[in-house]
Amino acid sequence: MVDASPDAATVLMTDLGVLCGCIALSKLLDPVRAVDRAIFGGLTAILIVAYTAWRLFDTIPGFEFGFGAIWQRFYFVFEAIAILYTLMSIVILLRHTDHSATADVAEAEIDAANSWPPVDVFICTYNEPVDVLEKSVLLSRALDYPDVRIWVLDDTRRPWLREYCNELGVNYLTRSSNEWAKAGNLNNGLRLTAGPQAAPLILVLDADFAPHSNLLKRTVGLFRDPKIAVVQTPQLYFNADPIQHNLMASKAWIDDQRIFFDVFQPAKDAWGAAFCVGTTFLVRRDRLNEIGGFPHEAVSEDINLTYTMMSHGYVTRWLNERLSVGLAAEGLPEYITQRARWCLGTIQVALLRNGPFRGANFTMVQRLHYLHGVLNWLCKPFIVLMLLAPAVYWFFGIPAFEADYVDFLGHAVPALLAFYAYSGWVSRRRTLPIFMEVTHMVTAVAVTWTLITCLYRPFGRPFKVTDKGGDRSRTIVRWDMLRIFGGLCAVSVGAIIWALIGPNAPTEATPVDILNLVWAGISALLAGVACIVCFEKPRLHREELFQTDHVGQLRTETGLLLPCSVHRLSTVDASLSLAQEHRDLTIGTAVDLVLDGLQTVGGHVSFSRGRDLLVSLSLPEAQRRDMVVALYRSPNDNLPLQADMGKALAGLLRRSIGRD
């Protein structure tokens, strides 16, 4: 390898200065203030634009027909898409809203006048098991609201579900076909609940989302503005998604949607372009009737609803409060299918004759915001190209761009440092290098394939429901995905070996060689982490354990009462610590757990180590349902709202060496 030249040392010092400047800005500036967002975002954009100019004018040689010229321009097109998306994001994030104060005033005034508008709750279900669906139904029954009717919209016509609804005293609706999928199911509910007694507001819930008790009181007051047709609240989850879970980072790495819900949606709301996300939203019935019901032309009926309302002069209001909790996709195939469906729906709405690009009555800002959403998906192929680029160089001698590592250090690294620093700052620690890239990588291949198929068949494909529930108690290897990411990792590692000991290995590495060697190493690392994700860890608990601070007593068969602290609790298990170790509490020992504010719960010891026990609970059905309501009716801290790099890396290291 060649020694770094003085030019490289000078460039590294410049990069160090950029890094120090970014750290200083992140400490001195406040992302709440618009002027601070403009300063940090503007400086980041300048460095990105400077990098783009360098790429365009200095790294792409004159065109000569052949694979090399085509490859370099093909790569740059998708890189430019990613750059455009990033620059648009910086502009969008110059603004943000917080409507909690407005909701406070509206709630107080409506409560004083006791004029709560009636609400119909539509729970959309398609083949979910009862242990998934019941949380939505039971928590809807527990809403702290004076005038609410619950309608379970069953799109799989299950007799047992009709009986279950009758038992709980909620309404059951179904239909003879599944035409137009979820939108058709909602429109069937809209039609069958019409009439003089129809509620003016409708709360839409997916079957795997449980509303918190105050959801309706926090949201209905916002409809006093007649231009508001939809009030949308964020999606939060009580379980780790497959990437968090499989990398053992569920307490340190946030789910990939937190940035969208917590950062981008408040910003889009400030621009008048927030959009519905399919569950835990309220919509005005009269506005629905005005537009002809829930739009059904695309598989993403939610964003289609927002933009149809926009074309009629109405807006979607984003209330960024924790007002529900849902079940995240538990398996990797379900996770990927879900994202591919969102991509397909976004493209379909973009192509509609009355959509945001071709339809009338949209402002330029609204069209640009939709373009931003489309670009989000068009960035995914660039991830695949970045992973392949160093291998293309070493096996075919064609670099993705004509530059050496000194040029890269001088132009690309400052932009990357600013981007990572700005992203972590503006998102309030909701991004992490490596983990963020791997999260996007896991879906990149499937989304890229979806985009390719959209070129010749954007419509006419069936709606794919995300499977939820089921047995997840064993390790599962996702071989189809492992072959993809393992292949990408092998190609990168193979490129490094070829570069070092292959028949054409250079005796002295050039600056271009060094750049592509480092690049290949990074690609191999990221693909390797993605391979780890493909080994799905078992989810050992039958129900998700919630963090709690209950103080209780454990009663043994002999009547002895042992003080304990319950750290985590579900309807089937309790994780607790005794005040002092008790050796007679071996696995299988029958016990009663007495919790403050709850009835005595029977069970047996299923795990014992020192003072720490896991008690498997045996609750009568009525008591179990009360426990479900108690656990899900208010926000919990089961998953982090901010990322922690140290803890995330520690979890990844443990998983990498097999210490599950």
Side-chain angles (χ1 to χ4, degrees):
M1 297 292 180
V2 297
D3 295 332
S5 66
D7 287 339
T10 301
V11 170
L12 283 173
M13 290 302 297
T14 302
D15 291 343
L16 181 60
V18 171
L19 176 60
C20 293
C22 289
I23 293 173
L25 287 176
S26 66
K27 300 296 184 183
L28 295 173
L29 301 181
D30 185 351
V32 173
R33 294 196 295 262
V35 65
D36 290 10
R37 290 188 177 212
I39 292 171
F40 207 160
L43 292 173
T44 302
I46 289 171
L47 290 173
I48 292 174
V49 170
Y51 165 78
T52 307
W54 169 71
R55 281 284 286 117
L56 181 61
F57 297 113
D58 294 345
T59 68
I60 303 176
F63 185 79
E64 294 180 2
F65 188 80
F67 174 73
I70 294 173
W71 161 247
Q72 290 178 332
R73 283 157 177 80
F74 185 75
Y75 183 93
F76 179 73
V77 166
F78 282 97
E79 183 180 14
I81 290 172
I83 290 170
L84 178 59
Y85 172 77
T86 302
L87 293 175
M88 290 183 71
S89 297
I90 290 172
V91 174
I92 289 171
L93 294 176
L94 291 176
R95 304 173 64 183
H96 72 287
T97 57
D98 183 352
H99 295 291
S100 291
T102 304
D104 290 340
V105 173
E107 180 181 0
E109 291 179 353
I110 295 175
D111 189 44
N114 194 26
S115 57
W116 300 103
V119 177
D120 282 328
V121 179
F122 285 2
I123 301 174
C124 304
T125 173
Y126 183 92
N127 214 32
E128 293 85 3
V130 67
D131 61 316
V132 172
L133 176 61
E134 70 170 352
K135 297 176 180 65
S136 183
V137 177
L138 294 175
L139 272 295
S140 293
R141 292 172 73 240
L143 284 165
D144 180 17
Y145 199 78
D147 194 351
V148 59
R149 291 183 303 172
I150 302 167
W151 306 85
V152 175
L153 311 183
D154 179 19
D155 230 12
T156 36
R157 297 166 287 282
R158 292 163 286 179
W160 68 261
L161 183 52
R162 182 188 296 272
E163 296 175 3
Y164 179 80
C165 291
N166 289 337
E167 178 189 350
L168 294 180
V170 301
N171 302 286
Y172 174 89
L173 296 176
T174 190
R175 55 184 180 143
S176 59
S177 71
N178 300 108
E179 187 179 22
W180 305 122
K182 182 180 175 182
N185 193 17
L186 285 167
N187 282 327
N188 183 62
L190 184 67
R191 178 178 60 85
L192 295 179
T193 59
Q197 301 302 315
L201 299 176
I202 297 171
L203 168 64
V204 176
L205 295 172
D206 282 348
D208 53 359
F209 266 82
H212 295 327
S213 60
N214 63 336
L215 186 150
L216 292 180
K217 286 189 174 181
R218 294 298 299 162
T219 52
V220 297
L222 297 177
F223 286 99
R224 297 193 300 179
D225 182 344
K227 288 189 176 182
I228 295 176
V230 178
V231 173
Q232 178 67 66
T233 64
Q235 296 179 17
L236 293 103
Y237 303 99
F238 58 80
N239 65 308
D241 68 31
I243 298 175
Q244 294 172 293
H245 182 69
N246 295 336
L247 294 182
M248 297 181 65
S250 59
K251 300 301 182 183
W253 170 234
I254 60 174
D255 66 270
D256 67 321
Q257 296 185 77
R258 290 275 56 78
I259 298 171
F260 170 71
F261 289 133
D262 299 345
V263 182
F264 275 102
Q265 280 281 49
K268 287 180 174 291
D269 183 88
W271 293 94
F275 57 84
C276 176
V277 294
T279 185
T280 59
F281 70 91
L282 279 83
V283 59
R284 288 180 55 153
R285 186 183 288 264
D286 56 352
R287 304 300 186 224
L288 277 175
N289 293 332
E290 183 179 338
I291 67 171
F294 291 90
H296 56 70
E297 298 89 349
V299 297
S300 290
E301 81 295 328
D302 42 18
I303 193 169
N304 198 7
L305 171 64
T306 284
Y307 273 83
T308 302
M309 289 292 187
M310 277 185 187
S311 68
H312 286 73
Y314 305 124
V315 300
T316 294
R317 175 64 67 238
W318 180 260
L319 182 60
N320 197 29
E321 294 183 5
R322 300 166 65 185
L323 296 172
S324 67
V325 66
L327 177 65
E330 298 166 284
L332 204 54
E334 297 85 358
Y335 179 91
I336 293 173
T337 296
Q338 191 179 62
R339 272 67 180 172
R341 186 181 73 241
W342 295 345
C343 170
L344 175 62
T346 302
I347 301 300
Q348 287 180 340
V349 173
L351 297 175
L352 293 176
R353 186 178 299 277
N354 61 345
F357 292 158
R358 302 170 62 191
N361 303 322
F362 292 104
T363 67
M364 182 57 66
V365 168
Q366 291 167 343
R367 296 181 198 273
L368 288 173
H369 271 268
Y370 202 85
L371 174 62
H372 179 258
V374 172
L375 291 176
N376 170 61
W377 298 111
L378 293 179
C379 289
K380 303 302 182 185
F382 180 56
I383 297 172
V384 180
L385 297 178
M386 282 196 298
L387 293 172
L388 292 173
V392 172
Y393 172 77
W394 285 110
F395 290 129
F396 301 101
I398 302 172
F401 49 86
E402 301 284 351
D404 59 31
Y405 76 94
V406 177
D407 285 335
F408 189 86
L409 288 172
H411 295 90
V413 170
L416 286 171
L417 290 174
F419 168 74
Y420 281 119
Y422 169 77
S423 297
W425 173 81
V426 78
S427 69
R428 299 173 180 84
R429 291 172 49 209
R430 288 175 174 84
T431 63
L432 284 181
I434 299 177
F435 294 88
M436 184 170 62
E437 281 77 15
V438 169
T439 297
H440 292 305
M441 279 175 54
V442 166
T443 59
V445 175
V447 169
T448 299
W449 179 248
T450 298
L451 291 170
I452 292 172
T453 59
C454 282
L455 294 175
Y456 62 88
R457 191 190 174 196
F459 294 96
R461 283 182 276 181
F463 184 96
K464 292 185 178 180
V465 177
T466 305
D467 293 332
K468 299 289 180 70
D471 181 17
R472 312 254 178 198
S473 61
R474 59 189 179 88
T475 300
I476 300 175
V477 181
R478 301 299 181 184
W479 290 105
D480 50 348
M481 285 169 273
L482 182 60
R483 281 189 285 269
I484 292 172
F485 296 116
L488 290 171
C489 183
V491 165
S492 296
V493 172
I496 295 173
I497 295 173
W498 183 267
L500 296 177
I501 62 174
N504 298 318
T507 56
E508 185 176 18
T510 68
V512 177
D513 292 340
I514 294 173
L515 172 62
N516 282 275
L517 272 174
V518 174
W519 191 343
I522 294 172
S523 296
L525 171 66
L526 295 176
V529 176
C531 288
I532 296 174
V533 176
C534 297
F535 292 85
E536 295 216 62
K537 281 170 46 62
R539 297 181 186 255
L540 301 179
H541 297 287
R542 294 169 290 168
E543 282 278 342
E544 197 73 20
L545 288 162
F546 283 73
Q547 293 185 1
T548 183
D549 56 359
H550 284 293
V551 176
Q553 293 177 309
L554 205 62
R555 185 165 56 209
T556 68
E557 292 176 302
T558 61
L560 182 65
L561 288 174
L562 303 173
C564 64
S565 298
V566 181
H567 306 302
R568 297 191 297 161
L569 181 66
S570 75
T571 58
V572 294
D573 291 306
S575 177
L576 54 88
S577 296
L578 298 174
Q580 59 184 22
E581 186 175 348
H582 194 80
R583 297 184 179 278
D584 292 338
L585 294 177
T586 56
I587 294 176
T589 303
V591 293
D592 289 327
L593 177 62
V594 183
L595 292 173
D596 293 345
L598 296 174
Q599 299 178 3
T600 300
V601 179
H604 66 273
V605 176
S606 56
F607 174 83
S608 177
R609 184 172 62 189
R611 297 189 299 113
D612 298 327
L613 302 178
L614 184 70
V615 176
S616 294
L617 307 177
S618 302
L619 284 76
E621 184 59 20
Q623 190 177 10
R624 192 191 64 80
R625 290 175 179 174
D626 289 342
M627 179 80 81
V628 171
V629 173
L631 290 173
Y632 291 87
R633 68 179 301 149
S634 58
N636 66 81
D637 296 320
N638 227 33
L639 295 175
L641 298 178
Q642 293 181 320
D644 187 313
M645 189 64 170
K647 291 181 179 179
L649 287 176
L652 173 59
L653 178 61
R654 290 198 304 273
R655 188 76 210 277
S656 301
I657 61 177
R659 295 185 62 184
D660 294 354

